[in-house]
PDB file of all heavy atoms in Angstrom:
ATOM      1  N   GLY A  13     328.735 179.618 142.011  1.00 98.00           N
ATOM      2  CA  GLY A  13     329.865 178.686 141.995  1.00 98.00           C
ATOM      3  C   GLY A  13     329.458 177.308 142.488  1.00 98.00           C
ATOM      4  O   GLY A  13     329.637 176.298 141.790  1.00 98.00           O
ATOM      5  N   GLU A  34     323.572 174.281 151.792  1.00 98.00           N
ATOM      6  CA  GLU A  34     323.144 175.666 151.538  1.00 98.00           C
ATOM      7  C   GLU A  34     321.959 175.962 152.462  1.00 98.00           C
ATOM      8  O   GLU A  34     320.939 175.281 152.380  1.00 98.00           O
ATOM      9  CB  GLU A  34     322.752 175.832 150.057  1.00 98.00           C
ATOM     10  CG  GLU A  34     321.957 177.073 149.716  1.00 98.00           C
ATOM     11  CD  GLU A  34     322.683 178.402 149.997  1.00 98.00           C
ATOM     12  OE1 GLU A  34     323.800 178.589 149.493  1.00 98.00           O
ATOM     13  OE2 GLU A  34     322.117 179.235 150.747  1.00 98.00           O
ATOM     14  N   TYR A  39     317.859 180.562 146.254  1.00 98.00           N
ATOM     15  CA  TYR A  39     318.995 181.457 146.009  1.00 98.00           C
ATOM     16  C   TYR A  39     318.470 182.716 145.323  1.00 98.00           C
ATOM     17  O   TYR A  39     317.624 182.644 144.427  1.00 98.00           O
ATOM     18  CB  TYR A  39     319.997 180.753 145.099  1.00 98.00           C
ATOM     19  CG  TYR A  39     321.167 181.611 144.692  1.00 98.00           C
ATOM     20  CD1 TYR A  39     322.169 181.908 145.602  1.00 98.00           C
ATOM     21  CD2 TYR A  39     321.262 182.130 143.405  1.00 98.00           C
ATOM     22  CE1 TYR A  39     323.251 182.705 145.238  1.00 98.00           C
ATOM     23  CE2 TYR A  39     322.338 182.917 143.026  1.00 98.00           C
ATOM     24  CZ  TYR A  39     323.323 183.204 143.949  1.00 98.00           C
ATOM     25  OH  TYR A  39     324.384 183.992 143.589  1.00 98.00           O
ATOM     26  N   ALA A  77     327.173 175.379 156.993  1.00 98.00           N
ATOM     27  CA  ALA A  77     328.426 174.747 157.444  1.00 98.00           C
ATOM     28  C   ALA A  77     329.057 175.682 158.469  1.00 98.00           C
ATOM     29  O   ALA A  77     329.297 176.848 158.173  1.00 98.00           O
ATOM     30  CB  ALA A  77     329.357 174.537 156.256  1.00 98.00           C
ATOM     31  N   SER A 103     332.309 177.422 148.081  1.00 99.00           N
ATOM     32  CA  SER A 103     331.936 178.575 147.252  1.00 99.00           C
ATOM     33  C   SER A 103     331.009 179.478 148.067  1.00 99.00           C
ATOM     34  O   SER A 103     329.841 179.676 147.727  1.00 99.00           O
ATOM     35  CB  SER A 103     331.257 178.112 145.960  1.00 99.00           C
ATOM     36  OG  SER A 103     331.108 179.199 145.064  1.00 99.00           O
ATOM     37  N   ARG A 160     333.315 192.137 145.181  1.00 98.00           N
ATOM     38  CA  ARG A 160     332.400 191.419 144.287  1.00 98.00           C
ATOM     39  C   ARG A 160     331.942 192.336 143.155  1.00 98.00           C
ATOM     40  O   ARG A 160     331.503 193.453 143.409  1.00 98.00           O
ATOM     41  CB  ARG A 160     331.204 190.949 145.130  1.00 98.00           C
ATOM     42  CG  ARG A 160     329.940 190.651 144.342  1.00 98.00           C
ATOM     43  CD  ARG A 160     328.848 190.087 145.219  1.00 98.00           C
ATOM     44  NE  ARG A 160     329.127 188.690 145.520  1.00 98.00           N
ATOM     45  CZ  ARG A 160     328.345 187.901 146.243  1.00 98.00           C
ATOM     46  NH1 ARG A 160     327.233 188.376 146.775  1.00 98.00           N
ATOM     47  NH2 ARG A 160     328.674 186.639 146.445  1.00 98.00           N
ATOM     48  N   ASP A 289     333.760 184.090 144.288  1.00 98.00           N
ATOM     49  CA  ASP A 289     334.191 185.377 144.851  1.00 98.00           C
ATOM     50  C   ASP A 289     335.215 185.218 145.977  1.00 98.00           C
ATOM     51  O   ASP A 289     335.993 186.150 146.230  1.00 98.00           O
ATOM     52  CB  ASP A 289     332.979 186.123 145.424  1.00 98.00           C
ATOM     53  CG  ASP A 289     332.047 186.671 144.367  1.00 98.00           C
ATOM     54  OD1 ASP A 289     332.346 186.527 143.163  1.00 98.00           O
ATOM     55  OD2 ASP A 289     331.009 187.239 144.749  1.00 98.00           O
ATOM     56  N   SER A 299     332.938 187.467 139.612  1.00 98.00           N
ATOM     57  CA  SER A 299     331.677 187.535 138.873  1.00 98.00           C
ATOM     58  C   SER A 299     331.010 186.171 138.868  1.00 98.00           C
ATOM     59  O   SER A 299     331.658 185.144 139.114  1.00 98.00           O
ATOM     60  CB  SER A 299     331.944 187.961 137.415  1.00 98.00           C
ATOM     61  OG  SER A 299     332.583 186.905 136.718  1.00 98.00           O
ATOM     62  N   ALA A 300     329.717 186.166 138.563  1.00 98.00           N
ATOM     63  CA  ALA A 300     328.991 184.905 138.427  1.00 98.00           C
ATOM     64  C   ALA A 300     329.543 184.095 137.256  1.00 98.00           C
ATOM     65  O   ALA A 300     329.643 182.874 137.319  1.00 98.00           O
ATOM     66  CB  ALA A 300     327.505 185.183 138.226  1.00 98.00           C
TER      67      ALA A 300
HETATM   68  P1  LIG B 401     327.337 183.438 145.886  1.00 86.99           P
HETATM   69  O1  LIG B 401     326.623 183.417 144.595  1.00 86.99           O
HETATM   70  O2  LIG B 401     327.135 184.575 146.794  1.00 86.99           O
HETATM   71  O3  LIG B 401     326.929 182.113 146.645  1.00 86.99           O
HETATM   72  C1  LIG B 401     327.382 181.845 147.938  1.00 86.99           C
HETATM   73  C2  LIG B 401     326.375 180.927 148.613  1.00 86.99           C
HETATM   74  O4  LIG B 401     327.020 180.312 149.729  1.00 86.99           O
HETATM   75  C3  LIG B 401     325.155 181.652 149.151  1.00 86.99           C
HETATM   76  O5  LIG B 401     323.991 181.038 148.652  1.00 86.99           O
HETATM   77  C4  LIG B 401     325.279 181.508 150.661  1.00 86.99           C
HETATM   78  O6  LIG B 401     324.013 181.355 151.312  1.00 86.99           O
HETATM   79  C5  LIG B 401     326.113 180.245 150.791  1.00 86.99           C
HETATM   80  N1  LIG B 401     326.910 180.153 152.019  1.00 86.99           N
HETATM   81  C6  LIG B 401     327.755 181.073 152.539  1.00 86.99           C
HETATM   82  N2  LIG B 401     328.315 180.608 153.673  1.00 86.99           N
HETATM   83  C7  LIG B 401     327.826 179.356 153.860  1.00 86.99           C
HETATM   84  C8  LIG B 401     328.016 178.360 154.863  1.00 86.99           C
HETATM   85  N3  LIG B 401     328.832 178.578 155.901  1.00 86.99           N
HETATM   86  N4  LIG B 401     327.356 177.180 154.743  1.00 86.99           N
HETATM   87  C9  LIG B 401     326.526 176.954 153.689  1.00 86.99           C
HETATM   88  N5  LIG B 401     326.301 177.870 152.712  1.00 86.99           N
HETATM   89  C10 LIG B 401     326.938 179.046 152.802  1.00 86.99           C
HETATM   90  N6  LIG B 401     328.280 188.682 138.084  1.00 86.99           N
HETATM   91  C11 LIG B 401     328.204 188.487 136.742  1.00 86.99           C
HETATM   92  O7  LIG B 401     328.855 187.573 136.214  1.00 86.99           O
HETATM   93  N7  LIG B 401     327.436 189.296 135.957  1.00 86.99           N
HETATM   94  C12 LIG B 401     326.706 190.311 136.453  1.00 86.99           C
HETATM   95  O8  LIG B 401     326.003 191.017 135.723  1.00 86.99           O
HETATM   96  C13 LIG B 401     326.758 190.550 137.860  1.00 86.99           C
HETATM   97  N8  LIG B 401     326.048 191.542 138.417  1.00 86.99           N
HETATM   98  C14 LIG B 401     326.121 191.766 139.771  1.00 86.99           C
HETATM   99  C15 LIG B 401     325.421 192.838 140.306  1.00 86.99           C
HETATM  100  C16 LIG B 401     325.480 193.106 141.669  1.00 86.99           C
HETATM  101  C17 LIG B 401     324.719 194.266 142.240  1.00 86.99           C
HETATM  102  C18 LIG B 401     326.263 192.262 142.507  1.00 86.99           C
HETATM  103  C19 LIG B 401     326.341 192.528 143.982  1.00 86.99           C
HETATM  104  C20 LIG B 401     326.969 191.197 141.973  1.00 86.99           C
HETATM  105  C21 LIG B 401     326.909 190.939 140.601  1.00 86.99           C
HETATM  106  N9  LIG B 401     327.634 189.882 140.029  1.00 86.99           N
HETATM  107  C22 LIG B 401     327.570 189.689 138.663  1.00 86.99           C
HETATM  108  C23 LIG B 401     328.560 189.063 140.847  1.00 86.99           C
HETATM  109  C24 LIG B 401     327.977 187.714 141.261  1.00 86.99           C
HETATM  110  O9  LIG B 401     326.784 187.882 141.979  1.00 86.99           O
HETATM  111  C25 LIG B 401     328.973 186.957 142.142  1.00 86.99           C
HETATM  112  O10 LIG B 401     330.258 187.039 141.573  1.00 86.99           O
HETATM  113  C26 LIG B 401     328.578 185.493 142.275  1.00 86.99           C
HETATM  114  O11 LIG B 401     327.351 185.399 142.971  1.00 86.99           O
HETATM  115  C27 LIG B 401     329.663 184.684 142.973  1.00 86.99           C
HETATM  116  O12 LIG B 401     329.260 183.356 143.171  1.00 86.99           O
HETATM  117  P2  LIG B 401     329.724 182.578 144.496  1.00 86.99           P
HETATM  118  O13 LIG B 401     329.271 181.183 144.317  1.00 86.99           O
HETATM  119  O14 LIG B 401     331.147 182.868 144.765  1.00 86.99           O
HETATM  120  O15 LIG B 401     328.917 183.303 145.681  1.00 86.99           O
END
Side-chain angles (χ1 to χ4, degrees):
E34 165 62 55
Y39 176 74
S103 190
R160 158 175 284 182
D289 288 357
S299 71

